[in-house]
Amino acid sequence: YMIILSSLATGTIITMTSHHWLMAWVGLELNTLAIIPIISTMHHPRSTEAATKYFLTQAAASALILFSSMTNAWNTGSWDITQPLTPPSHILLTMALAMKLGLAPLHFWLPEVIQGSTMTTAFIITTWQKIAPMSLIFLTMNNLSTSVFLLMGLLSSLVGGWGGLNQTQTRKIMAYSSIAHLGWMATISSIMTNILIMNLLIYLIMTTSIFLSLIISKSKTIQDTTSTWTLSPTLTIIMLLSLLSLGGLPPLTGFIPKWLIMEELILQNFNLLISMMAASSLLSLFFYLRLTYTTTLTLSPNTTQTKFKWRFYPYTRTMFIAAPATISIFLLPMTPLILL
C-alpha cells in the first residue's frame, strides 16, 4: 500500500515539475496506474466497476494529452509545455484536462467512481487527483481558450448544484460538490491564476476536513450522519462549520474564493455569468445545509446502546482533523496574506 501511495505522489510531482509534454504524460499515467489498485482493494463488483470506469476515462484523457502534444510537436517542433499550441492541439488538450478533472460536460465518471470506492479512496480522488491536471491548466492557461473555460465553469457549477440535490449518499454529495468547486476554479483560471491556486488550496483543505469527519464517524449516507452526536459532540460542530464553509458562507474560509472570483469576474464585466454561478452555489448550499441539519440539528429516535457509541471507540485518529478543520473555519481574516 505504501509503495502504491508513493507512486501516486511521485506521478503527481513529476507532472507538476515537468516542462516537457512527454514527462507530463508519464506522470499522469503513473498516477492513474497507482490509484487503480487503491480503488479496487475492496473485492466487490462495485469497486471493480469503479476502477474500470476510472481507468477508461483517465486512459482516454491521457491518450488525448499525448496526441495533442504530438500533433503540436509535429507542427511547431517544440515539446515545451509553456510554448503556444496549434488550434487542434489546444482543443484536444482542453477536452483532456476537463475529462481528467471531471469538469462538466465530461463529469459523468466522477460520482460513479467515488460511489464505488471506499471513503479513503474517494478522499484521495477528490483531493490529490485534482492537483496534476490543475497544474497543467496553470502551465498552459495562456494557450487555452478563455471562453471555453468560462462556459465549462458555469456548466460545472450548475451540474454540481442540480446533481447533488437528490443524493442520499455522502460520497456522491461530495462528488457533486467537487464538480461545482472545480467549476469556480475553471472560470477564474483564464483570468487570474493566483486566485486559481488559492481556491484549489482552500478547496483541498475544506474537502479534507469534511472527508476526515465522515471517515471518523463512518457516515456513508445522510441517515448515518444523524448518529454522529453519539460519537463526539465536538465532531458534529466541526462538521457543521466545515460544511457551511464548503458552501461559502461569509464568516468562514470558503467565502474567500467565492468573494474574490465574483469580484474579479464583475471587474471583467461577466455579470450574467457570475449571477448564474452565484445562483448555482445556492443549490449547493441547500444540500450542505441538509447535511448540517441531519448532523447537528436533529435528534433521531435512539436506544441506550447508540447513546454510548463513543465507548466502543477507544482509539480514533482524530489528530489529523485538527489542522484542516481549523483552517477551513477561521482563515477569512487572513485573506490579504493569502493572495499571492
Side-chain angles (χ1 to χ4, degrees):
Y1 197 68
M2 286 313 295
I3 291 171
I4 290 169
L5 280 181
S6 55
S7 309
L8 190 75
T10 310
T12 304
I13 291 163
I14 288 173
T15 305
M16 286 170 72
T17 52
S18 61
H19 276 273
H20 192 286
W21 274 116
L22 211 57
M23 284 310 289
W25 173 78
V26 165
L28 289 170
E29 280 297 311
L30 184 61
N31 192 302
T32 305
L33 292 175
I35 201 161
I36 298 301
I38 299 177
I39 298 173
S40 50
T41 42
M42 293 280 291
H43 298 292
H44 190 274
R46 292 204 64 170
S47 61
T48 314
E49 184 189 347
T52 312
K53 282 178 180 170
Y54 189 84
F55 174 72
L56 290 173
T57 50
Q58 299 295 314
S62 294
L64 275 177
I65 287 176
L66 189 61
F67 185 56
S68 84
S69 55
M70 280 171 71
T71 49
N72 185 59
W74 184 268
N75 286 314
T76 61
S78 164
W79 283 92
D80 194 342
I81 290 183
T82 50
Q83 292 301 312
L85 297 164
T86 54
S89 300
H90 96 231
I91 293 166
L92 283 170
L93 183 66
T94 306
M95 281 176 60
L97 290 173
M99 203 165 170
K100 278 265 174 208
L101 282 170
L103 280 174
L106 302 163
H107 67 280
F108 293 98
W109 61 271
L110 187 64
E112 299 296 322
V113 168
I114 285 181
Q115 185 52 39
S117 49
T118 61
M119 270 291 178
T120 317
T121 314
F123 163 54
I124 294 171
I125 294 171
T126 47
T127 53
W128 186 257
Q129 294 300 92
K130 305 293 178 209
I131 298 175
M134 268 300 175
S135 63
L136 281 181
I137 285 180
F138 178 74
L139 286 169
T140 56
M141 202 56 245
N142 297 331
N143 315 320
L144 298 178
S145 163
T146 306
S147 50
V148 170
F149 267 90
L150 287 169
L151 275 172
M152 275 185 172
L154 174 61
L155 200 58
S156 297
S157 60
L158 286 167
V159 165
W162 283 117
L165 288 180
N166 212 15
Q167 302 299 335
T168 54
Q169 302 279 339
T170 48
R171 277 167 295 188
K172 273 202 171 172
I173 286 177
M174 291 311 294
Y176 281 108
S177 143
S178 169
I179 292 168
H181 277 272
L182 288 168
W184 282 83
M185 284 180 235
T187 49
I188 199 66
S189 60
S190 53
I191 298 165
M192 278 191 82
T193 42
N194 57 352
I195 296 183
L196 165 74
I197 297 221
M198 184 210 64
N199 191 349
L200 180 65
L201 288 173
I202 287 177
Y203 158 76
L204 294 177
I205 291 164
M206 292 192 301
T207 311
T208 304
S209 172
I210 298 285
F211 263 109
L212 290 177
S213 308
L214 294 173
I215 289 166
I216 291 167
S217 61
K218 293 184 166 57
S219 303
K220 289 187 177 62
T221 60
I222 292 183
Q223 195 181 355
D224 294 342
T225 58
T226 53
S227 60
T228 314
W229 65 275
T230 59
L231 179 65
S232 159
T234 320
L235 188 65
T236 57
I237 295 167
I238 287 173
M239 274 181 84
L240 166 82
L241 291 169
S242 301
L243 280 162
L244 292 178
S245 181
L246 205 57
L249 285 186
L252 304 164
T253 307
F255 181 57
I256 305 173
K258 283 201 170 41
W259 176 26
L260 293 173
I261 290 171
M262 279 185 168
E263 191 178 21
E264 193 55 43
L265 289 176
I266 289 166
L267 275 177
Q268 305 287 344
N269 279 331
F270 292 116
N271 295 331
L272 180 64
L273 174 88
I274 201 62
S275 306
M276 289 173 76
M277 287 188 70
S280 71
S281 74
L282 285 177
L283 295 169
S284 300
L285 187 62
F286 174 78
F287 58 80
Y288 296 132
L289 278 174
R290 189 170 56 188
L291 266 178
T292 58
Y293 181 71
T294 54
T295 313
T296 51
L297 300 174
T298 53
L299 206 57
S300 53
N302 48 59
T303 58
T304 316
Q305 278 78 16
T306 55
K307 285 183 183 172
F308 294 126
K309 193 175 167 187
W310 56 272
R311 294 192 177 187
F312 307 128
Y313 289 82
Y315 177 66
T316 47
R317 295 180 181 172
T318 49
M319 182 182 72
F320 302 111
I321 200 174
T326 312
I327 296 169
S328 64
I329 294 167
F330 294 118
L331 213 64
L332 188 67
M334 293 177 69
T335 311
L337 296 175
I338 302 167
L339 273 177
L340 299 167

